[in-house]
Amino acid sequence: MLRWGGCTDVGQTRPINEDGYYISDYSSKFDAIYAIVADGMGGHRAGEIASGLALGLVSEAVNRRFFAQMNAQGLKELLAEAVREANRMIYEKSVSEIGCDGMGTTITLCLVFGNYAMIAHVGDSRAYMLRGGALHQITTDHSLVQELLRKGQITPEEAEKHPQKNVITRALGTDTDVDIDIYEFSVCSGDCILLCSDGLSNMLSDNEIKEALMHEKEKSENALAEGLIDLANQKGGYDNITAVILKKD
């Protein structure tokens, strides 16, 4: 059995919320659900448009075809094609409409059915797994800071306060095509998956996220998501903040 919840907030400093999330209906027949977090970028509400398009286009494509393709390879192709098609449509809008020039969005989608999960990921929104008291970051950020870390040019401590921390190297809608990272893993009873925008992960350490999820585990998933967002706002809330939680009983 799966449980789920989510929340998004404008934060303390931004005028509008360019984040968004979507949680599908739950299928008791397949013990399946999926969720998406998107964090838009671009001037004068264009980021809000980009993230909204991503959520709508991807969810429409997955909802239309999901239960007809329950094998792993079919799901992988379905998620990748849904994200690629959204990328094409966001890009076309960005180059054809005034005010949408240069817009884009991250996307992190997690689909869970039974004891199996798959993530499609572009950008620097993240997916975490809490299992057995340990928090693991599943996704790798597509960001300048992550590239510098990978090359050994900065330390993790320097990365935390890097002036270009918010520069991403991959997003939906900024080019005609996009590379998509796909992650596949098993899901066990007691596992908790967190999807979040960088407005959460930039404000809270891994340990703070873990402690919040573990110490408040008796709360509903919506309350857990709201609690994480409250913590990020207490620490400054410098960006929009989104958290979605999927739990396996």
Side-chain angles (χ1 to χ4, degrees):
M1 179 67 183
L2 291 163
R3 294 185 290 150
W4 60 91
C7 185
T8 188
D9 188 78
V10 69
Q12 301 297 302
T13 63
R14 298 295 178 93
I16 61 171
N17 192 352
E18 295 183 316
D19 281 7
Y21 73 93
Y22 173 89
I23 302 175
S24 73
D25 291 337
Y26 170 69
S27 168
S28 57
K29 178 180 179 181
F30 294 103
D31 189 25
I33 198 169
Y34 74 91
I36 312 171
V37 165
D39 177 1
M41 61 184 188
H44 192 58
R45 307 191 77 92
E48 183 183 32
I49 294 170
S51 60
L53 279 171
L55 294 171
L57 292 167
V58 173
S59 62
E60 180 183 3
V62 177
N63 289 343
R64 187 171 63 245
R65 299 170 54 197
F66 174 34
F67 295 115
Q69 298 192 26
M70 290 301 292
N71 66 80
Q73 186 58 35
L75 284 173
K76 186 184 296 185
E77 292 171 0
L78 166 58
L79 297 189
E81 182 51 37
V83 173
R84 286 195 186 97
E85 180 61 23
N87 177 76
R88 287 191 289 270
M89 296 184 75
I90 295 168
Y91 178 76
E92 288 172 6
K93 190 176 184 72
S94 75
V95 298
S96 64
E97 294 196 16
I98 295 173
C100 291
D101 181 46
M103 74 177 181
T105 182
T106 71
I107 190 166
T108 302
L109 182 161
C110 181
L111 185 153
V112 181
F113 66 99
N115 297 319
Y116 176 80
M118 181 177 290
I119 287 174
H121 170 69
V122 178
D124 66 349
S125 296
R126 290 182 179 178
Y128 293 91
M129 166 79 83
L130 179 66
R131 173 181 288 174
L135 186 74
H136 310 276
Q137 183 179 330
I138 300 171
T139 54
T140 298
D141 295 346
H142 301 135
S143 67
L144 175 61
V145 164
Q146 182 61 41
E147 283 296 305
L148 295 174
L149 275 171
R150 185 180 63 82
K151 294 175 181 178
Q153 295 179 3
I154 60 173
T155 66
E157 292 73 24
E158 290 171 330
E160 288 298 316
K161 298 182 179 179
H162 198 280
Q164 294 177 297
K165 189 172 183 178
N166 294 324
V167 176
I168 61 175
T169 56
R170 202 186 301 180
L172 293 196
T174 57
D175 206 341
T176 54
D177 199 9
V178 66
D179 290 330
I180 304 159
D181 290 350
I182 301 288
Y183 302 85
E184 301 173 77
F185 52 98
S186 62
V187 183
C188 306
S189 178
D191 284 351
C192 176
I193 298 169
L194 168 67
L195 309 182
C196 66
S197 62
D198 68 336
L200 185 77
S201 58
N202 282 344
M203 299 307 302
L204 302 181
S205 68
D206 285 5
N207 190 60
E208 287 171 322
I209 293 172
K210 181 188 76 171
E211 292 297 311
L213 292 174
M214 289 184 64
H215 290 169
E216 305 291 342
K217 61 183 178 181
E218 300 306 318
K219 290 186 176 180
S220 71
E221 285 64 43
N222 280 329
L224 281 173
E226 290 168 2
L228 286 167
I229 288 172
D230 286 345
L231 286 174
N233 273 323
Q234 289 169 24
K235 298 192 73 174
Y238 300 130
D239 199 352
N240 308 145
I241 316 163
T242 301
V244 172
I245 291 171
L246 303 174
K247 273 189 180 180
K248 178 76 171 176
D249 284 338

